[in-house]
Amino acid sequence: MPHPSHVKIGPSILAADFARLGEEVEAAARGGADYIHVDVMDGDFVPPITFGSQMIEAIKPYAGGLPLVIHMMVTEPARQVEDIAKAGGDIIVIHAEACADLAGTVAAIRKAGVQAGIAVKPETPIDPILPFLDDIATALLMTVNPGYGGQPYIPEVEIKIAEMRKLIDERGVDVDIEVDGGINENTIEQVVQAGARLLVAGTAVYGRPEPVPERIALLRELADGALAD
Ligand code: DX5
Ligand code: ZN
Protein backbone atom coordinates (compact mmCIF):
# COMPACT_ATOMS: atom_id res chain seq x y z
CA MET A 1 0.00 0.00 0.00
CA PRO A 2 1.46 3.41 -0.89
CA HIS A 3 2.30 5.74 1.96
CA PRO A 4 0.45 9.03 2.22
CA SER A 5 3.82 10.76 2.52
CA HIS A 6 5.52 12.37 -0.44
CA VAL A 7 9.00 11.20 0.41
CA LYS A 8 10.20 7.69 -0.22
CA ILE A 9 12.52 5.85 2.14
CA GLY A 10 14.84 3.23 0.66
CA PRO A 11 16.81 1.20 3.19
CA SER A 12 20.19 0.14 1.81
CA ILE A 13 20.84 -3.51 2.56
CA LEU A 14 24.58 -2.87 2.39
CA ALA A 15 24.33 -2.23 6.14
CA ALA A 16 22.15 -5.30 6.78
CA ASP A 17 23.34 -8.60 8.24
CA PHE A 18 24.34 -10.51 5.08
CA ALA A 19 23.96 -13.83 6.88
CA ARG A 20 20.25 -13.04 7.34
CA LEU A 21 19.63 -11.03 4.18
CA GLY A 22 16.14 -12.35 3.43
CA GLU A 23 14.88 -11.50 6.91
CA GLU A 24 16.54 -8.10 6.77
CA VAL A 25 14.85 -7.25 3.46
CA GLU A 26 11.54 -8.47 4.86
CA ALA A 27 11.95 -6.33 7.99
CA ALA A 28 12.25 -3.20 5.83
CA ALA A 29 9.47 -4.23 3.43
CA ARG A 30 7.03 -4.93 6.26
CA GLY A 31 8.39 -2.06 8.32
CA GLY A 32 7.33 0.82 6.09
CA ALA A 33 10.01 1.12 3.41
CA ASP A 34 9.01 2.35 -0.06
CA TYR A 35 11.71 0.46 -1.88
CA ILE A 36 14.81 -1.58 -1.22
CA HIS A 37 18.17 -0.13 -2.24
CA VAL A 38 20.65 -2.72 -3.46
CA ASP A 39 24.32 -1.75 -3.86
CA VAL A 40 26.10 -3.72 -6.56
CA MET A 41 29.89 -3.15 -6.39
CA ASP A 42 32.44 -4.68 -8.73
CA GLY A 43 35.85 -4.15 -7.12
CA ASP A 44 36.74 -1.84 -10.03
CA PHE A 45 34.51 1.25 -10.10
CA VAL A 46 34.71 1.03 -6.30
CA PRO A 47 37.12 -1.18 -4.31
CA PRO A 48 34.65 -3.55 -2.61
CA ILE A 49 32.72 -6.41 -4.21
CA THR A 50 29.18 -6.98 -2.95
CA PHE A 51 26.71 -8.98 -4.97
CA GLY A 52 25.06 -9.41 -8.34
CA SER A 53 22.06 -10.86 -10.11
CA GLN A 54 21.94 -14.17 -8.20
CA MET A 55 21.70 -12.39 -4.87
CA ILE A 56 19.04 -10.05 -6.30
CA GLU A 57 17.02 -13.04 -7.43
CA ALA A 58 17.37 -14.61 -3.96
CA ILE A 59 16.12 -11.56 -2.04
CA LYS A 60 13.34 -10.60 -4.47
CA PRO A 61 10.66 -12.78 -2.77
CA TYR A 62 11.36 -11.11 0.57
CA ALA A 63 10.68 -7.59 -0.72
CA GLY A 64 6.90 -8.04 -0.59
CA GLY A 65 6.47 -6.48 -4.04
CA LEU A 66 8.44 -3.33 -3.20
CA PRO A 67 10.63 -2.16 -6.06
CA LEU A 68 14.31 -3.09 -5.91
CA VAL A 69 16.44 -0.12 -6.89
CA ILE A 70 19.77 -1.44 -8.06
CA HIS A 71 22.63 1.01 -7.54
CA MET A 72 25.29 -0.15 -9.98
CA MET A 73 28.72 0.87 -8.74
CA VAL A 74 30.16 -1.02 -11.67
CA THR A 75 32.41 -0.12 -14.61
CA GLU A 76 30.50 -0.52 -17.89
CA PRO A 77 27.26 -1.79 -16.28
CA ALA A 78 25.66 -2.46 -19.69
CA ARG A 79 27.08 -5.99 -19.50
CA GLN A 80 24.97 -6.79 -16.42
CA VAL A 81 21.74 -5.03 -17.31
CA GLU A 82 19.85 -7.96 -18.80
CA ASP A 83 20.70 -10.39 -15.99
CA ILE A 84 19.78 -7.89 -13.32
CA ALA A 85 16.46 -7.07 -14.98
CA LYS A 86 15.67 -10.79 -15.24
CA ALA A 87 16.65 -11.31 -11.59
CA GLY A 88 14.02 -8.79 -10.48
CA GLY A 89 15.70 -5.39 -10.43
CA ASP A 90 13.02 -2.75 -11.00
CA ILE A 91 15.09 0.40 -11.42
CA ILE A 92 18.69 0.12 -12.59
CA VAL A 93 20.79 3.13 -11.62
CA ILE A 94 24.12 3.51 -13.38
CA HIS A 95 26.95 5.94 -12.71
CA ALA A 96 27.57 8.56 -15.40
CA GLU A 97 31.29 8.23 -14.59
CA ALA A 98 31.26 4.47 -15.30
CA CYS A 99 29.86 4.43 -18.84
CA ALA A 100 31.71 5.25 -22.07
CA ASP A 101 28.31 5.37 -23.81
CA LEU A 102 25.77 6.68 -21.31
CA ALA A 103 22.97 7.01 -23.88
CA GLY A 104 23.53 3.44 -25.06
CA THR A 105 23.49 2.13 -21.51
CA VAL A 106 20.26 3.97 -20.63
CA ALA A 107 18.74 2.57 -23.83
CA ALA A 108 19.86 -0.96 -22.89
CA ILE A 109 18.15 -0.66 -19.50
CA ARG A 110 14.89 0.49 -21.06
CA LYS A 111 15.14 -2.23 -23.68
CA ALA A 112 15.41 -4.76 -20.84
CA GLY A 113 11.95 -3.58 -19.73
CA VAL A 114 12.92 -1.81 -16.52
CA GLN A 115 13.31 1.80 -15.43
CA ALA A 116 16.62 3.61 -15.60
CA GLY A 117 18.37 6.00 -13.25
CA ILE A 118 21.62 7.93 -13.49
CA ALA A 119 23.93 8.56 -10.53
CA VAL A 120 26.76 11.05 -10.08
CA LYS A 121 29.48 11.22 -7.44
CA PRO A 122 29.60 14.28 -5.16
CA GLU A 123 32.25 16.04 -7.27
CA THR A 124 30.56 15.33 -10.62
CA PRO A 125 28.22 18.08 -11.87
CA ILE A 126 24.60 17.19 -12.72
CA ASP A 127 25.17 18.03 -16.42
CA PRO A 128 25.60 14.46 -17.73
CA ILE A 129 22.13 13.59 -16.36
CA LEU A 130 20.30 16.47 -18.03
CA PRO A 131 19.92 15.08 -21.58
CA PHE A 132 18.12 12.05 -20.10
CA LEU A 133 15.43 13.66 -17.95
CA ASP A 134 12.71 12.28 -20.23
CA ASP A 135 14.16 8.76 -20.10
CA ILE A 136 14.96 8.15 -16.45
CA ALA A 137 12.95 7.58 -13.27
CA THR A 138 15.59 8.72 -10.81
CA ALA A 139 18.57 11.07 -10.64
CA LEU A 140 20.85 9.85 -7.86
CA LEU A 141 23.03 12.56 -6.39
CA MET A 142 25.54 10.79 -4.16
CA THR A 143 26.05 12.54 -0.83
CA VAL A 144 29.21 10.50 -0.10
CA ASN A 145 31.84 9.03 -2.41
CA PRO A 146 30.47 5.64 -3.41
CA GLY A 147 31.93 2.44 -2.03
CA TYR A 148 31.23 2.25 1.69
CA GLY A 149 28.40 2.66 4.16
CA GLY A 150 28.67 4.79 7.28
CA GLN A 151 30.57 7.73 5.75
CA PRO A 152 29.84 11.35 6.70
CA TYR A 153 27.32 13.30 4.62
CA ILE A 154 28.78 15.92 2.24
CA PRO A 155 26.58 19.04 2.63
CA GLU A 156 27.96 20.77 -0.49
CA VAL A 157 25.85 18.39 -2.62
CA GLU A 158 22.76 20.36 -1.53
CA ILE A 159 23.64 22.97 -4.18
CA LYS A 160 23.33 20.27 -6.86
CA ILE A 161 20.11 18.93 -5.33
CA ALA A 162 18.53 22.39 -5.46
CA GLU A 163 19.78 22.94 -9.02
CA MET A 164 18.30 19.60 -10.11
CA ARG A 165 15.01 20.29 -8.28
CA LYS A 166 14.64 23.57 -10.17
CA LEU A 167 15.30 21.97 -13.56
CA ILE A 168 12.93 19.05 -12.94
CA ASP A 169 10.16 21.37 -11.80
CA GLU A 170 10.69 23.75 -14.75
CA ARG A 171 10.60 20.92 -17.26
CA GLY A 172 7.71 19.17 -15.51
CA VAL A 173 9.36 15.75 -15.85
CA ASP A 174 8.61 12.79 -13.59
CA VAL A 175 12.07 12.20 -12.12
CA ASP A 176 12.75 11.56 -8.45
CA ILE A 177 15.84 13.07 -6.92
CA GLU A 178 17.51 10.33 -4.91
CA VAL A 179 20.23 10.90 -2.31
CA ASP A 180 22.51 8.24 -0.91
CA GLY A 181 25.20 8.40 1.73
CA GLY A 182 25.23 9.72 5.29
CA ILE A 183 21.45 10.16 5.39
CA ASN A 184 20.29 9.91 9.01
CA GLU A 185 18.23 11.81 11.57
CA ASN A 186 20.74 14.68 11.53
CA THR A 187 20.86 15.21 7.76
CA ILE A 188 17.53 14.05 6.33
CA GLU A 189 15.72 17.37 6.80
CA GLN A 190 18.41 19.26 4.87
CA VAL A 191 18.23 17.00 1.81
CA VAL A 192 14.43 17.15 1.72
CA GLN A 193 14.48 20.93 2.01
CA ALA A 194 16.99 21.07 -0.84
CA GLY A 195 14.60 18.99 -3.00
CA ALA A 196 15.42 15.28 -2.62
CA ARG A 197 12.49 12.83 -2.49
CA LEU A 198 14.04 9.34 -2.53
CA LEU A 199 16.07 8.94 0.60
CA VAL A 200 18.48 6.04 0.94
CA ALA A 201 19.66 5.05 4.39
CA GLY A 202 21.93 2.16 5.29
CA THR A 203 23.55 2.47 8.71
CA ALA A 204 20.69 4.72 9.87
CA VAL A 205 18.27 1.79 9.43
CA TYR A 206 20.22 -1.46 9.89
CA GLY A 207 22.51 -2.71 12.64
CA ARG A 208 20.91 -0.52 15.30
CA PRO A 209 19.61 -1.39 18.75
CA GLU A 210 16.13 -0.20 17.65
CA PRO A 211 14.10 -2.35 15.27
CA VAL A 212 14.20 -1.53 11.54
CA PRO A 213 10.55 -0.31 11.39
CA GLU A 214 11.19 2.15 14.20
CA ARG A 215 14.18 3.64 12.38
CA ILE A 216 12.22 3.93 9.11
CA ALA A 217 9.34 5.63 10.93
CA LEU A 218 11.69 8.15 12.54
CA LEU A 219 13.33 9.06 9.24
CA ARG A 220 9.95 9.39 7.53
CA GLU A 221 8.58 11.60 10.27
CA LEU A 222 11.55 13.97 10.03
CA ALA A 223 11.46 13.98 6.21
CA ASP A 224 7.72 14.66 6.12
CA GLY A 225 8.17 17.43 8.67
CA ALA A 226 10.85 19.04 6.50
CA LEU A 227 8.54 18.89 3.48
CA ALA A 228 5.73 20.61 5.38
CA ASP A 229 8.03 23.47 6.52
C1 DX5 B 1 27.58 3.65 -0.58
C2 DX5 B 1 26.25 3.06 -0.97
C3 DX5 B 1 25.16 3.40 -0.03
C4 DX5 B 1 25.39 2.99 1.40
C5 DX5 B 1 24.92 4.13 2.22
O1 DX5 B 1 28.43 3.69 -1.65
O2 DX5 B 1 25.85 3.47 -2.24
O3 DX5 B 1 23.89 2.95 -0.50
O4 DX5 B 1 24.73 1.84 1.80
O5 DX5 B 1 25.22 3.90 3.54
P1 DX5 B 1 24.92 4.97 4.68
O6 DX5 B 1 23.46 5.27 4.66
O7 DX5 B 1 25.36 4.26 5.91
O8 DX5 B 1 25.75 6.18 4.37
ZN1 ZN C 1 23.80 3.02 -2.83
Side-chain angles (χ1 to χ4, degrees), residues 94 102-103 106-107 110 115-120 125-141 160-178 195:
I94 53 174
L102 189 55
V106 168
R110 288 160 56 92
Q115 291 187 296
I118 301 175
V120 287
I126 62 169
D127 304 51
I129 305 179
L130 303 183
F132 301 100
L133 287 180
D134 289 319
D135 308 312
I136 58 173
T138 162
L140 170 52
L141 307 182
K160 294 195 323 188
I161 300 171
E163 209 184 332
M164 184 62 94
R165 176 82 271 148
K166 192 165 169 273
L167 282 168
I168 287 173
D169 290 347
E170 275 169 12
R171 297 200 198 172
V173 288
D174 187 15
V175 177
D176 270 320
I177 300 177
E178 180 174 12

Side-chain angles (χ1 to χ4, degrees), residues 107-215:
I109 295 171
R110 288 160 56 92
K111 196 169 162 233
V114 297
Q115 291 187 296
I118 301 175
V120 287
K121 294 181 189 181
E123 72 275 18
T124 305
I126 62 169
D127 304 51
I129 305 179
L130 303 183
F132 301 100
L133 287 180
D134 289 319
D135 308 312
I136 58 173
T138 162
L140 170 52
L141 307 182
M142 291 299 296
T143 40
V144 299
N145 279 302
Y148 302 93
Q151 302 182 78
Y153 170 76
I154 301 174
E156 288 76 16
V157 178
E158 283 164 37
I159 298 166
K160 294 195 323 188
I161 300 171
E163 209 184 332
M164 184 62 94
R165 176 82 271 148
K166 192 165 169 273
L167 282 168
I168 287 173
D169 290 347
E170 275 169 12
R171 297 200 198 172
V173 288
D174 187 15
V175 177
D176 270 320
I177 300 177
E178 180 174 12
V179 285
D180 181 10
I183 305 302
N184 57 38
E185 56 269 57
N186 303 314
T187 57
I188 199 163
E189 289 160 301
Q190 293 158 238
V191 283
V192 170
Q193 274 158 9
R197 295 293 177 267
L198 292 195
L199 314 167
V200 176
T203 51
V205 169
Y206 286 111
R208 296 263 172 174
E210 303 85 5
V212 164
E214 200 176 300
R215 297 296 302 173

